[in-house]
Structures are given as structure tokens and as C-alpha cells.
Amino acid sequence: MKEFINREDELNFLNKEFNREGSSFIVIYGRRRIGKTSLIEKFVKDKTYIYFLASEESEYQNMNAFKKIVAETLNNELLLETKLYNWDILFKILSQSITKERLILIIDEFQYLSKINAAFPSIFQRIWDTLLKDKNIMVILCGSLIHMMESQTLSYSSPLYGRRTGQIKLKQIEFKHYHKFFTNLKYKDLIEFYSVTGGVPKYIEMFDDRLNLFSQIEQNILNKQSFLFEEPIFLLQNEVNEIGSYFSIIKSIAQGNHKLGNMSTDLEIKQTNLTKYLKTLINLDILEREVPVTEKNPEKSKMGLYKIKDNFLNFWFKFIYPEKSKLELSEKKYVLEKIKQNFIDNHVSYVYESICMSEMWSLSEKINFDKIGRWWNGNTEIDIVGLDNTGDNIIFGECKYREQPMDIDVFYDLLNKKEQVIWNNKTRREKYILFSISGFTDRLKELAESRDDLILFKKT
């Protein structure tokens, strides 16, 4: 990235931890390419720090690499020449060098140290308890394998449990900040770019707002030499063991099988055997389980649908993975044409719905609600329903990503559908909101002017 965008909350938190009295122990984790290292680089600028990137080499190689960094930082030639086979001695030398000036110690890709030595979390717990916790130090453990970082540093069973003073699970950049990456794009173009890259900074870097989106899809995703061509494989292979099973499930969802029963039929796998895979994918922030917004017990609801959270993965499993054979034969033009034919109706329109959900919160001063989501039953669906659980307000919304302006029929159709929503039916106060990427017809605008319960939302 040309500049550091967003992450203000995370930076403020890290600076608060840096300025606290006594030691600080922070865990930062999140998927590959999400910007963890960039966040740390921004934070430690103008501060005294030691940064160590762990590798999958042997423990001895990692120990010596860390020793070299510490020796150079402390200007300790004796340590540099000393052969070490014990982490405790190395950290003891480091701890004795800490003065009144606060030191930041960063161990990046921490999970690799535990992969090569399962006892390392216990070793580091001892080091923290006996050598570091009473020093003027801020320790940051950073990692990109989510399940390993959670099990090794955050879970109750981890030896490091209870030591941390805070944690950051770094998420994707929200759409409301996306325009800062592409200052030359209009709102509609931003949505289409976002539907491909999502909010992963490294993916966003690959795209240029001065060039055509489809030509960049061809260059950056369909091209076998591009890292995005097989990015989902690398993303998952270190997190899960049965990558083929997980790929089959994600592909099935991308093809429209959002219900557990439909997935089971499509994959010919019992529903009970699918749940463990789905739970893992949810924990990895790849999937989410969605229920109608009016459900009182979401966990127990039988109306759950599974969706791919990540726009890039959704795009890849819809358009790239099913055509890998064609792409291996360098038939990029064929695949690109198929993408163009289905890009708006089968992909962007759904991303637009999620963006409209986010835009709703910007209207909270006009509309009272504290919960928002989709609603559906057996045969009807409403794109947006907002509920005021401390009052009786409810708002119904529809989102249309079409070339033509939205007409009045969409509103009257919404009036019919909302009658099926059971929620405070006797006392509720209803409002309506319509989102349209191409604006609204004159007669719909006239209708909205005559009603104080209808809002038309169009952003350019």
C-alpha cells in the first residue's frame, strides 16, 4: 500500500498499552496478508523495539537467529559468539539489559515456534513469569495461523492463558474506508472492485483504479503466475488437514447451497459429518451462519444459512475454482467471458446487499434500531430488516443493483412481504428504506415525498 489506511482503533489500543505502567503482553493474530506486520511497523515507528520473525526451520536455527538480533541490538559481541541451546539464558540476558526506556519485543509468526517444539508456550510462560513480567517491556506475539494462535496463546488450556493484557484479531478493512485506497473510483466502481478484493490490504494492492477491473482480474487472478491464482489453497493448507473436504464445502456454498440440507445432498455427506467442518470455517472467519433477524434463539434456529464472508474467496470459488482445468490450459479468455456474464447478478448484487447493511448504521440518527439483518421464511425474503429492541420501531428495506432506476413496484412488493414478518405486530411503528445503485424513477421519488415513512438511499 502507498499509505497506511484505517486501523486507528488498533493503533490507539497499542499506544495505550505502550504507555501503561508495568509490563504489557499483547497477542495480534489474523489471516495471511491482513496487515498485521504493517500495523506493527506503524506502531513501533520512533520506538525502541526488537523484531524477530520465526520460521519453520529447526528450533536451534530460530534460537540462533533470535540471538543474533538481540546481540546486535544490545551491541553484545560476546553473546554473538556464544553458542546457546537454551531459550532461558537468552531471555535472561535480554531482561537484564532492559532499562528505564520501554522496550517492545515482537515475535512474529509465533505459531511456528510451537510447531517445531510443542513445549514452547510453556517455555515462554516460564520466561514471562520469571524474567519479563516485572520489567519495563511490551511483548507482542503475532501470528497468521488463527487456530494455532488461539490454542497456543488465548485458550484456557494454553500455558499462556491469563498472561496477556490484551489481544487484537485483525479483520478486513471495512467498505466505508475502501475509497481511501482508490481515490479515482466512483461509488459504483468501488463496489465492483470491493466485490473482488474484499478488505484484505494485500489483495487491494494488486489492483489499480486507473485500469479496467476485468483486465486486472485477468492479470491478477486468472494468470497462473499471480499469487492470487492459488491464494485460497495456501490460505487453508496450513489451517486445516483435509483441504479437499473444506474446498468441496466452500465450493458448494458458492454455488448456492446455503442450507445444511442442500449441502448434504450436493456433497452426499451426512449433515452431522458436515458440522465440524463448518464450525472450523466459521472460526477461521471464512464462513458465517446467518439466521432471520427476528429469531430469538439464533444458535438453536433451524433457519440457519451459511455464507462465505470473504468477497475474494467467494469470487474465487464461484468463478475460478470450477474453471481451474480451463485455466491450467491457459484459456483465460473463456473464463473471463463467463465471469463477465455472471459478475453482476450472481456476485456484485449480493455484495451490494451487505454494503447496504453497513450504510444503514449511518442513518441511525433518522431511524431508531439496534439490530439489523436479513429476514426470510419458506418462500419470502426481505433484504434488510432493522429492529429496535428497546422500543417498537421496525424498518424494512430492499437493495437493487441494476442498470435501470428502481420503480414503484419494488416498494409495493415490500409492503406485501413485510406482512409476513412476525415481530411486535400490534404496536410496531414501521418505516421503509430502498437502496438503488442506479437511482429511482420520478414516480417513486414523488411517492417518497408524500410519505414520511419512506427513505430513498442513493450514494454516488
Side-chain angles (χ1 to χ4, degrees):
M1 288 181 289
K2 295 179 180 178
E3 58 178 310
F4 189 81
I5 292 174
N6 194 225
R7 309 302 194 199
E8 286 88 358
D9 290 343
E10 291 85 356
L11 279 173
N12 289 337
F13 170 74
L14 290 173
N15 280 307
K16 184 178 178 181
E17 283 292 316
F18 179 78
N19 292 322
R20 68 180 287 168
E21 291 186 12
S23 59
S24 180
F25 189 134
I26 305 300
V27 176
I28 300 177
Y29 66 114
R31 59 180 281 182
R32 280 161 43 103
R33 311 190 197 279
I34 202 69
K36 299 180 296 297
T37 303
S38 295
L39 172 64
I40 291 171
E41 287 177 355
K42 182 74 172 180
F43 165 62
V44 300
K45 187 178 181 181
D46 302 324
K47 297 181 177 72
T48 302
Y49 68 92
I50 293 176
Y51 174 85
F52 171 60
L53 177 63
S55 70
E56 294 189 81
E57 296 178 287
S58 69
E59 184 176 19
Y60 179 74
Q61 292 295 327
N62 273 281
M63 192 181 301
N64 274 280
F66 184 54
K67 180 195 73 173
K68 182 180 178 183
I69 293 170
V70 172
E72 290 174 349
T73 302
L74 302 180
N75 196 24
N76 189 329
E77 293 185 9
L78 180 61
L79 175 60
L80 192 62
E81 299 299 325
T82 303
K83 288 190 176 182
L84 291 178
Y85 302 92
N86 187 302
W87 287 103
D88 295 74
I89 295 174
L90 181 52
F91 276 97
K92 185 175 182 179
I93 295 171
L94 175 61
S95 69
Q96 291 173 344
S97 70
I98 299 173
T99 61
K100 292 183 178 180
E101 183 180 13
R102 194 164 179 82
L103 174 69
I104 303 171
L105 171 63
I106 304 132
I107 302 179
D108 203 351
E109 301 297 3
F110 176 81
Q111 74 277 343
Y112 289 146
L113 297 176
S114 299
K115 283 182 72 174
I116 58 180
N117 181 356
F120 191 78
S122 296
I123 294 171
F124 197 76
Q125 175 233 318
R126 182 177 67 246
I127 289 168
W128 173 259
D129 288 348
T130 61
L131 299 173
L132 299 179
K133 74 173 183 178
D134 296 322
K135 298 291 184 178
N136 190 19
I137 190 170
M138 180 178 184
V139 170
I140 298 176
L141 304 185
C142 185
S144 57
L145 297 186
I146 294 174
H147 79 281
M148 289 192 70
M149 287 298 294
E150 289 179 337
S151 65
Q152 293 169 8
T153 64
L154 302 176
S155 73
Y156 183 77
S157 59
S158 168
L160 292 171
Y161 180 80
R163 270 70 183 177
R164 74 184 186 276
T165 56
Q167 70 284 322
I168 296 174
K169 186 175 185 180
L170 207 58
K171 303 281 189 175
Q172 295 192 30
I173 301 290
E174 296 179 43
F175 179 73
K176 64 182 178 181
H177 302 291
Y178 196 72
H179 67 281
K180 299 174 186 176
F181 293 97
F182 300 117
T183 56
N184 296 319
L185 293 182
K186 294 182 179 179
Y187 186 68
K188 184 174 184 291
D189 296 319
L190 284 170
I191 292 171
E192 296 185 5
F193 271 65
Y194 181 70
S195 73
V196 178
T197 68
V200 179
K202 186 63 177 179
Y203 304 167
I204 298 171
E205 278 185 41
M206 302 289 293
F207 286 73
D208 189 329
D209 58 8
R210 297 166 297 180
L211 303 176
N212 175 269
L213 176 59
F214 289 108
S215 66
Q216 293 185 83
I217 289 173
E218 180 178 8
Q219 175 183 338
N220 297 325
I221 303 177
L222 305 187
N223 184 355
K224 288 186 290 183
Q225 285 71 47
S226 171
F227 82 87
L228 289 178
F229 180 73
E230 293 191 327
E231 173 69 359
I233 297 173
F234 294 111
L235 186 65
L236 277 170
Q237 68 180 2
N238 287 324
E239 293 281 8
V240 300
N241 293 323
E242 305 169 54
I243 190 169
S245 298
Y246 287 96
F247 263 50
S248 297
I249 291 169
I250 301 172
K251 178 186 175 185
S252 181
I253 295 172
Q255 291 175 337
N257 298 304
H258 301 289
K259 294 181 180 179
L260 184 59
N262 292 346
M263 267 185 274
S264 175
T265 302
D266 179 47
L267 300 172
E268 297 184 349
I269 300 174
K270 291 181 180 180
Q271 293 185 28
T272 52
N273 293 337
L274 281 173
T275 52
K276 68 173 184 179
Y277 296 106
L278 293 169
K279 184 178 179 181
T280 298
L281 290 169
I282 289 172
N283 290 338
L284 294 175
D285 273 343
I286 292 173
L287 298 185
E288 64 180 337
R289 181 177 179 269
E290 184 182 28
V291 300
V293 67
T294 53
E295 291 287 280
K296 294 182 178 179
N297 297 300
E299 295 80 11
K300 297 180 179 180
S301 174
K302 296 181 179 180
M303 298 288 288
L305 301 178
Y306 293 89
K307 294 173 58 180
I308 301 171
K309 288 179 68 175
D310 180 281
N311 289 346
F312 172 74
L313 290 179
N314 200 0
F315 176 87
W316 194 88
F317 277 97
K318 276 181 184 175
F319 300 116
I320 310 304
Y321 189 51
E323 304 293 347
K324 283 296 290 292
S325 297
K326 294 282 187 182
L327 292 170
E328 290 292 347
L329 297 174
S330 299
E331 296 189 30
K332 291 189 292 184
K333 298 297 182 184
Y334 167 84
V335 176
L336 189 62
E337 284 305 312
K338 289 194 68 174
I339 293 173
K340 289 179 179 179
Q341 292 169 14
N342 298 283
F343 185 59
I344 299 298
D345 292 340
N346 194 30
H347 187 63
V348 178
S349 59
Y350 296 105
V351 174
Y352 182 57
E353 288 181 11
S354 68
I355 290 172
C356 292
M357 290 263 193
S358 300
E359 297 284 11
M360 279 286 289
W361 293 110
S362 68
L363 303 172
S364 57
E365 292 184 1
K366 296 181 180 179
I367 314 165
N368 293 320
F369 61 88
D370 54 27
K371 186 179 181 182
I372 187 171
R374 290 196 307 133
W375 179 90
W376 65 91
N377 59 17
N379 50 29
T380 302
E381 178 181 326
I382 299 177
D383 294 337
I384 294 176
V385 175
L387 307 175
D388 176 15
N389 286 308
T390 60
D392 296 314
N393 299 300
I394 185 169
I395 182 163
F396 302 95
E398 289 290 333
C399 315
K400 301 299 178 186
Y401 199 93
R402 298 172 176 170
E403 291 297 325
Q404 301 79 24
M406 182 186 289
D407 204 355
I408 203 166
D409 60 306
V410 176
F411 174 65
Y412 287 121
D413 185 46
L414 179 60
L415 287 181
N416 291 327
K417 292 193 294 184
K418 63 93 175 176
E419 295 296 332
Q420 299 183 49
V421 180
I422 300 173
W423 186 84
N424 290 7
N425 289 49
K426 292 183 179 180
T427 61
R428 72 190 191 192
R429 290 171 291 182
E430 301 175 348
K431 287 185 179 292
Y432 310 93
I433 184 166
L434 301 176
F435 293 84
S436 172
I437 196 66
S438 298
F440 309 92
T441 62
D442 289 339
R443 61 177 183 171
L444 181 52
K445 291 177 183 177
E446 291 173 5
L447 178 65
E449 289 176 1
S450 68
R451 302 181 62 126
D452 59 6
D453 60 350
L454 174 59
I455 299 171
L456 305 183
F457 184 98
K458 182 182 183 297
K459 196 169 182 177
T460 57

